[in-house]
């Protein structure tokens, strides 16, 4: 019974499983960098991988690179304040890890098509891990810029972190509404900038991000933040609205009703507001004293919300109105406001809960979908039921011989 709950829990309804059977990937990529530079490069790079290497292995190793970068930066700079004390080789290794993560993420889909093993499980596995990788990479790069002693800086770091995650969420919200994935131009650009920033910090030190220009009025950190805010407010979100408007005019039958299309925003905005409120009501200024833990917890919650949205848009089913993992925030808010329990203790426990719950969700969803689609996640052209039937037949014959 216990093993069934741990490794064979049924998260996917029959409706969702049936939706996966009908699913077909549909995307639009208009990025010149992607079409004329990255994809031609990946077309050649993927040839170095043997045909027996499953695409999902490349996806997994790419995610492990992002996780390794996060763990490395977390070990040497847990509070985002020790940039000068971090050995230079940490930045070099971080840049190499992000570079490999980017290339593996670009090659996994090509390897799937190359080995004729494309399936919905590949897209779900890829985008599901990406939903957590985006937070891991964002937290890692924050170590280059650091935070000052001013309270506002910690809250601004939190805001930037959340907006970066929203930047990944918006294309999936578009797809939920239009059935088409509009791949953002910013993805490849951001990955190249991440790698370049780490390599530059290795050669010149993190001081380059705080060198002042124009008589101290500006520095690189301020310029990068300004560019990010500008792109998010005036480009990313408006372009998303335009894409959805045009899709509703051209192919209205492929789009969900307008009200239904707003629910994915509700599903992410309300838990985000509750999480921010918990930090605001914190008696010990948890956003300042434990910033890394605070944003890691949000990253886990965000990843689960995003994964569930991805499943809904792949299966053409309604998205969750309120994520089940966000419910503990309600008693946490009451306890924080009334100062009943130490807020750091609550955050630690909640983060551990989110980690275990999200891992449990991911493993069981992949297992359930693999069994339904009759494929192995980490094997090329492997059929689950065929091999299971062979094993059962073999054990049956052996049983007869023993008798």
């Amino acid at each position: 019974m216990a093993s069934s709950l741990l490794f064979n829990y049924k998260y996917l309804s029959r409706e969702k499983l049936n939706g996966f059977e009908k699913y077909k990937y549909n995307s639009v990529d208009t990025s010149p960098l992607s079409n004329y530079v990255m994809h031609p490069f990946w077309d050649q790079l993927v040839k170095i991988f043997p045909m027996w290497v499953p695409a999902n292995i490349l996806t997994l190793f790419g995610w492990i690179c992002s996780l390794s970068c996060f763990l490395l930066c977390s070990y040497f700079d847990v509070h985002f304040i020790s940039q000068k004390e971090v050995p230079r080789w940490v930045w070099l290794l971080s840049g190499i890890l992000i570079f490999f993560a980017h290339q593996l993420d670009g090659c996994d889909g090509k390897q799937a098509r190359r080995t004729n093993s494309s399936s919905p499980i590949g897209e779900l596995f890829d985008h599901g891990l990406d939903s957590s990788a985006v937070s891991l990479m964002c937290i890692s790069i924050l170590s280059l810029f650091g935070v000052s002693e001013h309270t506002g800086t910690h809250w601004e770091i939190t805001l930037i972190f959340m907006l970066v995650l929203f930047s990944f969420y918006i294309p999936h919200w578009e797809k939920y509404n239009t059935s088409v994935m509009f791949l953002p131009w910013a993805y490849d650009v951001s990955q190249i900038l991440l790698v370049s920033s780490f390599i530059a910090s290795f050669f010149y030190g993190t001081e380059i991000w705080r060198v002042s220009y124009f008589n101290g009025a500006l520095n690189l950190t301020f310029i990068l933040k300004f560019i990010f805010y500008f792109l998010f407010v005036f480009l990313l979100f408006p372009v998303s609205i335009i894409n959805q408007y045009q899709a509703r005019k051209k192919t209205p039958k492929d789009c969900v009703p307008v009200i239904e299309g707003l629910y994915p925003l509700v599903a992410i905005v309300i838990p985000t507001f509750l999480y921010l409120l918990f930090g605001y009501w914190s008696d010990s200024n948890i956003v300042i004293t434990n910033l890394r833990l605070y944003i890691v917890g949000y990253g886990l919650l965000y990843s689960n919300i995003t994964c569930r949205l991805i499943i809904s848009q792949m299966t053409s089913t309604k998205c969750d109105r309120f994520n089940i993992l966000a419910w503990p925030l309600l008693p946490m808010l009451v306890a924080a406001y009334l100062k009943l329990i130490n807020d750091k203790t609550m955050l630690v426990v909640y983060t551990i809960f989110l980690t275990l719950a999200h891992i449990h969700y991911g493993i069981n969803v992949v297992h359930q979908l693999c069994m339904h689609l009759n494929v192995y996640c980490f094997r090329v052209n492997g059929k689950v039921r065929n091999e299971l039937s062979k094993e059962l037949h073999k054990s049956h014959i052996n049983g007869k011989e023993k008798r």
Side-chain angles (χ1 to χ4, degrees), residues 5-20:
L5 289 174
L6 285 174
F7 304 111
N8 199 26
Y9 189 85
K10 308 298 183 185
Y11 280 105
L12 301 176
S13 65
R14 173 55 57 182
E15 182 185 12
K16 283 184 167 57
L17 291 172
N18 292 337
F20 275 115

Side-chain angles (χ1 to χ4, degrees), residues 55-65 104 108 125 129 378:
N56 289 336
I57 286 290
L58 302 186
T59 304
L60 180 62
F61 272 89
W63 180 82
I64 289 174
C65 288
L104 290 170
D108 54 6
F125 193 74
L129 288 182
F378 299 116

Side-chain angles (χ1 to χ4, degrees), residues 154-165:
H154 292 76
W155 280 105
E156 185 180 27
I157 289 291
T158 303
L159 173 63
I160 291 173
F161 175 70
M162 290 179 172
L163 289 179
V164 169
L165 300 193

Side-chain angles (χ1 to χ4, degrees), residues 174-230:
E174 286 182 51
K175 190 178 180 185
Y176 180 82
N177 279 278
T178 66
S179 301
V180 179
M181 172 69 79
F182 295 93
L183 298 172
W185 286 24
Y187 171 68
D188 290 318
V189 174
S190 65
Q191 295 299 297
I192 292 171
L193 285 176
L194 279 175
V195 174
S196 302
S197 298
F198 279 122
I199 299 301
S201 298
F202 166 70
F203 283 109
Y204 303 106
T206 56
E207 295 81 7
I208 62 171
W209 308 110
R210 287 169 289 281
V211 174
S212 298
Y213 301 95
F214 304 108
N215 296 323
L218 297 174
N219 59 33
L220 279 177
T221 300
F222 177 85
I223 293 170
L224 289 175
K225 285 191 296 185
F226 176 81
I227 293 173
F228 173 73
Y229 288 138
F230 178 84

